[in-house]
């Protein structure tokens, strides 16, 4: 039978009673149980969440019943909410109180989507990597979920970087790539960004996470368009090879949503993608994002 001291030693974060962390996959992700996000979160509980987030990169809370206010209050513990880069005239959301809240939904009223990113599959990406200070964390809360598909896959970009051959690391360390978002696009194929119109920003292909100090790859299939200072053909071939390397199952956790899930992910060291789902079923999630720093 374990003594009190040995069981304490296996839980060094001194988690408050009933709060515990359960890894979700070998690649990344952990569920935290025993926290009701509608209630004030004390410092001890918050530090368990923050430590688990740094270690596991994606955090899941299940069975939450969250108002918009609850979600915003929790997110603000991690930093300032990020405003929406999309011009107000291009936003679909009318039924939200905070201008920073985005609905991710295929529901349509009078033929118009009530939210953003409405339909089907989406390739791997990092949120807002096309602006100067991309999102640090994204908080996505499930309100309506289809019976099949619409899963979100998360990818560990520390592990993807660490597993690169040394000669590829040498080729990309210190290099920059242009990231661009063609609004509404969910796959690279067929994209042809117009740099006068679509938001874009050049960032390092390998970034250092400001908290962990670890290196992570910072390129993705949906939004990283080309490598600076490289011929088009060479840039396209290297990016393709990187995307294929990155998108290996061993780096991925596949999340199947349940109503009441709140997921928090770190855009500085993970990517995410969405699987296809039927347009006959409704999908509604509520999202907010906290602002990050300029990658280095
Ligand atoms: C997002 C996003 C994926 C999903 O909200 O940034 O990519 O599963 N969502 O809807
Ligand atoms: Mn996204």
């Amino acid at each position: 039978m374990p003594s009190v001291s040995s069981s304490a030693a296996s839980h060094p974060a001194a988690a408050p009673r009933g709060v515990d962390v359960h890894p979700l996959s070998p690649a990344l992700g952990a569920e935290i149980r025993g926290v009701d996000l509608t209630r004030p979160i004390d410092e001890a509980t918050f530090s368990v969440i923050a430590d688990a987030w740094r270690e596991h990169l994606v955090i899941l809370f299940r069975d939450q019943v969250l108002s918009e206010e609850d979600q915003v209050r929790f997110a603000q513990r991690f930093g300032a909410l990020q405003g929406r880069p999309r011009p107000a005239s291009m936003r679909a959301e009318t039924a939200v109180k905070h201008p920073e809240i985005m609905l991710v939904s295929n529901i349509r009223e009078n033929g118009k989507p009530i939210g953003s990113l409405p339909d089907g599959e989406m390739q791997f990406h990092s949120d807002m990597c096309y602006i100067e200070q991309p999102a640090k964390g994204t908080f996505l809360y499930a309100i309506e979920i289809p019976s099949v598909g619409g899963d979100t896959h998360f990818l560990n970009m520390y592990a993807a970087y660490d597993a690169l051959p040394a000669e590829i690391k040498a080729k990309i360390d210190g290099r920059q790539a242009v990231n661009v978002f063609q609004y509404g696009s969910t796959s690279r194929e067929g994209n042809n960004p117009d740099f006068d119109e679509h938001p874009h920003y050049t960032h390092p292909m390998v970034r250092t996470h400001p908290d962990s100090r670890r290196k992570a790859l910072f390129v993705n299939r949906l939004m990283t368009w080309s490598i600076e200072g490289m011929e088009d053909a060479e840039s396209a071939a290297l990016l393709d090879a990187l995307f294929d390397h990155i998108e290996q199952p061993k780096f991925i956790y596949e999340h199947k949503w349940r109503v009441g899930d709140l997921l928090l992910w770190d855009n500085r060291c993970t990517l995410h993608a969405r699987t296809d789902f039927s347009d006959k079923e409704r999908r509604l999630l509520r999202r907010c994002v906290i602002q990050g720093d300029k990658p280095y």
Side-chain angles (χ1 to χ4, degrees), residues 158-292:
Y158 293 132
Y161 176 76
D162 290 344
L164 280 174
E167 70 267 21
I168 305 283
K169 284 185 183 162
K171 230 180 187 165
I172 63 175
D173 266 320
R175 280 224 178 240
Q176 310 259 327
V178 185
N179 297 278
V180 56
F181 186 34
Q182 217 167 310
Y183 284 129
S185 109
T186 54
S187 111
R188 179 184 201 82
E189 294 70 43
N191 272 3
N192 187 15
D194 173 349
F195 287 92
D196 290 329
E197 187 191 341
H198 299 124
H200 56 94
Y201 208 87
T202 299
H203 289 301
M205 298 175 71
V206 178
R207 68 183 293 185
T208 303
H209 193 290
D211 301 332
S212 72
R213 317 297 308 161
R214 292 180 64 191
K215 284 185 176 183
L217 267 174
F218 196 59
V219 293
N220 65 78
R221 200 182 287 277
L222 182 58
M223 296 172 180
T224 306
W225 191 245
S226 62
I227 301 173
E228 294 277 281
M230 205 179 259
E231 292 292 324
D232 285 355
E234 190 189 0
S235 159
L238 180 52
L239 285 176
D240 274 348
L242 282 172
F243 301 150
D244 289 345
H245 163 82
I246 289 168
E247 294 170 10
Q248 295 185 66
K250 65 182 176 190
F251 303 134
I252 294 173
Y253 160 62
E254 301 185 2
H255 185 65
K256 291 203 182 303
W257 290 93
R258 283 184 358 203
V259 170
D261 285 353
L262 179 87
L263 270 182
L264 156 59
W265 64 82
D266 189 332
N267 289 292
R268 301 166 296 183
C269 54
T270 69
L271 300 181
H272 56 282
R274 181 172 73 197
T275 67
D276 209 3
F277 58 100
S278 166
D279 59 7
K280 308 283 183 299
E281 289 196 85
R282 286 160 64 105
R283 189 173 189 274
L284 171 61
L285 301 98
R286 189 205 290 134
R287 182 179 106 146
C288 62
V289 162
I290 45 170
Q291 199 165 31

Side-chain angles (χ1 to χ4, degrees), residues 104 117 122 125 127 140 152 257 265 272 274 283 287:
V104 174
L117 312 176
M122 260 191 107
H125 63 279
D127 291 333
L140 192 60
T152 307
W257 290 93
W265 64 82
H272 56 282
R274 181 172 73 197
R283 189 173 189 274
R287 182 179 106 146

